[in-house]
């Protein structure tokens, strides 16, 4: 059984080719489309795990140097900096997709008509703009919010149909970062209906409930949160201080 992909929900996979080129491919059975979003190598991003500011093409090597994992740093950093939910990564020698996932992805892509396999260069959209980077060279930076034309690619028709809303619980002490996560979650096709601040929990990472809902599963995959039992009428995501160490 595939670990990540059920073959019906949309799946976003970050890839690095070993030479600096980065892309995010979205497999969407709901629209029978495959969209490959190509990122410029010199796109400046804020790396996850509090690793600072880097070019997108250097993220995989950065993760390897810090012994976190190149793919893990790549997907988490792009999720954070692009404000787009990316749950999987695939490089030459690293992936969080098992063999069943990869076979299912290959079969889906093979079955899709060429006209529904779309290439999108992010540098040609108004989401990016040219500017001087931290090292003084000319490159690309992102605007604060991705445009609707891009966020709709990442919406999940199954999550929209499920119709669950989300409550965020801040036990991290950083309401601003929790709200940023909330904006990424909303791209999936849901709404944040409340953000509740509670006593800070130093040893808590993140949890999502109720266990087993489509939305809970997707949030768990994107942000690596533990799923727990809870109220089935809404999805509740709780963030502790440990989450801030890797977001």
């Amino acid at each position: 059984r595939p670990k990540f992909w059920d073959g019906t929900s949309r799946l976003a996979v970050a890839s690095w080719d070993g030479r600096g080129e980065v892309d995010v491919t979205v497999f969407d059975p709901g629209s029978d489309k495959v969209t490959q979003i190509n990122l410029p190598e010199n796109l400046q991003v804020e790396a996850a795990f509090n690793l600072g500011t880097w070019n997108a093409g250097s993220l995989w090597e950065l993760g390897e140097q810090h012994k976190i994992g190149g793919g893990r740093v790549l997907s988490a950093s792009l999720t954070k900096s692009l404000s787009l939910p990316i749950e999987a990564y695939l490089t030459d020698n690293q992936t969080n997709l098992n063999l069943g996932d990869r076979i299912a992805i290959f079969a889906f892509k093979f079955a899709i008509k060429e006209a529904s396999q779309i290439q999108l260069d992010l540098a040609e959209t108004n989401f990016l703009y040219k500017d001087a980077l931290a090292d003084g060279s000319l490159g690309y930076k992102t605007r604060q919010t991705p445009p609707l034309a891009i966020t709709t690619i990442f919406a999940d028709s199954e999550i929209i149909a499920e119709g669950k809303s989300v409550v965020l619980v801040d036990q991290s002490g950083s309401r601003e970062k929790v709200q940023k996560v909330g904006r990424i979650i909303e791209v999936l096709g849901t709404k944040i209906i409340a953000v509740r601040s509670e006593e800070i929990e130093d040893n808590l990472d993140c949890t999502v409930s109720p266990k087993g809902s489509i939305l809970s599963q997707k949030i768990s995959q994107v942000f690596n949160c533990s799923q727990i039992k809870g109220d089935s009428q809404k999805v509740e995501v709780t963030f502790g201080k440990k989450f801030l160490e890797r977001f």
Side-chain angles (χ1 to χ4, degrees):
R1 177 180 169 83
K3 176 187 175 186
F4 261 82
W5 202 38
D6 57 10
T8 57
S9 62
R10 81 104 189 93
L11 177 73
V13 183
S15 299
W16 181 75
D17 71 347
R19 300 183 300 276
E21 291 189 14
V22 174
D23 64 67
V24 178
T25 304
V26 181
F27 302 89
D28 187 5
S31 62
D32 279 334
K33 287 182 181 177
V34 176
T35 306
Q36 181 175 312
I37 303 171
N38 303 307
L39 280 61
E41 181 181 345
N42 59 344
L43 169 63
Q44 182 172 287
V45 299
E46 185 182 354
F49 298 90
N50 298 308
L51 293 177
T53 301
W54 295 82
N55 287 351
S58 302
L59 290 171
W60 186 89
E61 292 166 312
L62 179 68
E64 291 298 289
Q65 289 166 8
H66 286 269
K67 301 189 185 307
I68 299 168
R72 192 176 174 202
V73 168
L74 175 67
S75 59
S77 300
L78 295 182
T79 294
K80 177 181 181 179
S81 293
L82 302 180
S83 294
L84 297 170
I86 302 164
E87 58 265 50
Y89 55 84
L90 179 64
T91 63
D92 285 346
N93 61 355
Q94 266 186 40
T95 184
N96 59 344
L97 299 167
N98 68 15
L99 181 60
D101 288 319
R102 283 173 277 164
I103 291 171
I105 287 169
F106 177 81
F108 176 73
K109 189 173 182 180
F110 182 78
I112 294 296
K113 294 177 181 178
E114 190 173 338
S116 295
Q117 299 194 30
I118 300 160
Q119 294 277 337
L120 175 64
D121 288 324
L122 206 61
E124 296 177 5
T125 71
N126 61 6
F127 185 31
L128 304 189
Y129 64 97
K130 284 189 175 181
D131 200 2
L133 304 183
D135 61 2
S137 64
L138 186 65
Y140 291 91
K141 294 180 180 179
T142 61
R143 301 188 193 279
Q144 190 169 8
T145 307
L148 188 62
I150 294 175
T151 58
T152 52
I153 297 170
F154 288 80
D156 192 319
S157 58
E158 288 201 329
I159 287 172
I160 295 169
E162 187 179 43
K164 288 187 180 294
S165 54
V166 178
V167 173
L168 302 180
V169 181
D170 174 24
Q171 295 180 358
S172 71
S174 179
R175 190 179 178 91
E176 182 183 353
K177 286 191 176 182
V178 168
Q179 288 175 325
K180 178 177 176 61
V181 173
R183 290 191 292 272
I184 300 170
I185 290 172
E186 285 191 321
V187 172
L188 292 168
T190 184
K191 283 290 180 187
I192 307 299
I193 59 170
V195 181
R196 190 169 73 241
S197 295
E198 295 183 353
E199 185 177 351
I200 293 173
E201 291 288 345
D202 291 337
N203 295 318
L204 177 68
D205 194 311
C206 69
T207 62
V208 56
S209 67
K211 187 175 183 178
S213 83
I214 298 169
L215 180 55
S216 294
Q217 175 75 9
K218 187 64 69 174
I219 292 171
S220 173
Q221 290 174 345
V222 173
F223 296 104
N224 199 23
C225 299
S226 300
Q227 292 189 71
I228 60 174
K229 293 180 179 179
D231 181 359
S232 62
Q233 299 306 310
K234 62 184 183 299
V235 169
E236 187 166 291
V237 194
T238 303
F239 302 95
K241 283 198 77 171
K242 281 196 172 298
F243 179 78
L244 301 183
E245 296 173 6
R246 60 180 181 85
F247 181 67

